Amino acid sequence: MLKTVIERIRGLLDDPDLEAKYNDDYLVRHIIQPAFATVTSRLNNSSTNAVMKRLSFPLTQNVADYQLPACVGEVLRLCVLDESGRAIQEAVPRGLFNLRGPNWKVEGNLISFLPFPPEDYAYMELWYIHSGDFSSVYVSTANAAYTLDATKKIATMVVNTPAPALGSFDRRPGAYVGQQLRLIPTTGVVEERLIDSWTYTAANTWTATVRKAFVTAAVGQLPAFEIAPESNEPLFEAVAAFGAMKMAGYRKISGEHFGIIQAQYRDAMKTLMDHYANIQMRMPKYFEKDTVDNQLTQPWRI
């Protein structure tokens, strides 16, 4: 994803001065990352089917405050699941001045439960819309510092040993939840898996746990890999076009040239919107969400 977007940004601008002054790593950290956050925000706030993800979010009795990972842009649902994955209880926010308390509310990068959780909820899940806030990274060669365990679900990474070819590792817990760990061997199958947890262990070592195990990847040393958004051609094109427009501000390109890039961005965003609006066609074309003013009186809600 990263190499593709970089090549498209340079192709759209076709400026030798930019080629010489800004290397690929600069483009990833200062152009592609903010471009992805902007495209994600516009997609989530305009599409009829926002990019929804979920993560495990256990609660502890009488503990009020819990850290929200950087990946959480909007909290959609907090629910308790049984062993079969059915939602059996739901924590619904109430009004700020409700006599029973607000139940839960977001305070900065914390979610606070008032009143405190009356018991442990080990199977609580948080459903959310992604913020687009994370640092993409590409490691171009296999190295003993990056390994895959026997279950093919846990990748252990001694980050920055060696330094990645593009971008930088995001060292915030949970930052990569919802992104793809994409393995790119020199031959064979390219596999990508959704990251369920991104956890610090010790001595600059992090583990990425994926939801579904890799199939063809070998246990042991990882091949070249990247942590980036899902493979989606319209997404790549929209990020590249927006990045090119951002880079155009660094140089005085002609209005006609800028207009061509802007038209490509609009076309890519329209295709991206169409894709996400129709990706789950058995569902109605709207995103249903309860508010504090529109709640169902269901006894299993907490």
Side-chain angles (χ1 to χ4, degrees):
M1 180 266 183
L2 295 178
K3 294 290 287 185
T4 299
V5 173
I6 287 170
E7 289 168 356
R8 291 183 185 180
I9 289 174
R10 294 193 183 280
L12 285 167
L13 291 169
D14 192 25
D15 188 330
D17 289 341
L18 288 176
E19 292 277 352
K21 190 170 183 179
Y22 303 106
N23 62 24
D24 289 351
D25 187 60
Y26 181 92
L27 292 183
V28 170
R29 292 186 293 111
H30 299 290
I31 302 298
I32 294 176
Q33 285 175 200
F36 177 72
T38 299
V39 169
T40 299
S41 175
R42 293 184 180 181
L43 173 66
N44 288 334
N45 286 298
S46 303
S47 173
T48 55
N49 195 0
V51 183
M52 190 198 76
K53 301 183 186 295
R54 56 194 177 91
L55 56 84
S56 177
F57 203 76
L59 304 184
T60 304
Q61 183 179 10
N62 292 328
V63 176
D65 297 327
Y66 298 83
Q67 193 78 31
L68 283 174
C71 59
V72 177
E74 180 181 344
V75 178
L76 291 178
R77 188 183 193 189
L78 278 164
C79 56
V80 177
L81 305 182
D82 65 11
E83 292 79 358
S84 300
R86 290 187 293 263
I88 57 174
Q89 289 180 297
E90 186 154 343
V92 179
R94 296 187 286 262
L96 186 62
F97 302 104
N98 191 293
L99 293 178
R100 293 187 295 159
N103 204 9
W104 61 263
K105 59 191 181 75
V106 176
E107 301 177 358
N109 62 352
L110 293 175
I111 185 166
S112 183
F113 287 82
L114 298 171
F116 304 155
E119 58 184 277
D120 293 341
Y121 293 95
Y123 296 101
M124 179 76 77
E125 272 201 356
L126 187 152
W127 297 14
Y128 65 97
I129 292 176
H130 203 282
S131 65
D133 179 14
F134 74 99
S135 176
S136 297
V137 65
Y138 169 59
V139 175
S140 59
T141 57
N143 187 278
Y146 309 107
T147 58
L148 186 65
D149 80 335
T151 67
K152 296 190 178 183
K153 292 185 70 174
I154 301 176
T156 301
M157 305 179 186
V158 184
V159 301
N160 299 324
T161 310
L166 293 172
S168 57
F169 281 98
D170 199 320
R171 291 179 291 147
R172 295 174 296 177
Y176 287 138
V177 173
Q179 299 310 312
Q180 302 290 327
L181 173 58
R182 185 173 297 117
L183 304 187
I184 314 170
T186 53
T187 59
V189 179
V190 173
E191 293 186 271
E192 55 183 15
R193 293 291 185 271
L194 185 74
I195 297 174
D196 253 356
S197 73
W198 174 246
T199 309
Y200 177 75
T201 54
N204 212 28
T205 301
W206 294 74
T207 58
T209 304
V210 297
R211 185 174 299 177
K212 297 284 289 183
F214 289 100
V215 177
T216 62
V219 173
Q221 187 170 288
L222 288 175
F225 68 90
E226 69 176 352
I227 300 176
E230 63 192 73
S231 292
N232 186 314
E233 192 66 30
L235 176 63
F236 295 177
E237 186 70 7
V239 171
F242 187 87
M245 289 193 296
K246 186 176 176 66
M247 285 292 290
Y250 293 14
R251 307 290 295 176
K252 292 181 179 180
I253 68 172
S254 67
E256 181 182 4
H257 188 180
F258 186 86
I260 292 171
I261 298 173
Q262 191 175 47
Q264 293 196 23
Y265 168 71
R266 289 173 176 169
D267 183 65
M269 284 300 297
K270 175 62 169 61
T271 305
L272 190 62
M273 293 288 187
D274 291 344
H275 170 76
Y276 278 104
N278 297 290
I279 195 171
Q280 193 167 334
M281 282 301 291
R282 287 183 65 96
M283 296 293 289
K285 284 194 174 183
Y286 64 90
F287 200 84
E288 183 179 357
K289 184 175 68 173
D290 280 345
T291 69
V292 294
D293 301 312
N294 176 33
Q295 297 177 7
L296 301 177
T297 55
Q298 296 169 333
W300 58 85
R301 295 198 173 194
I302 58 174

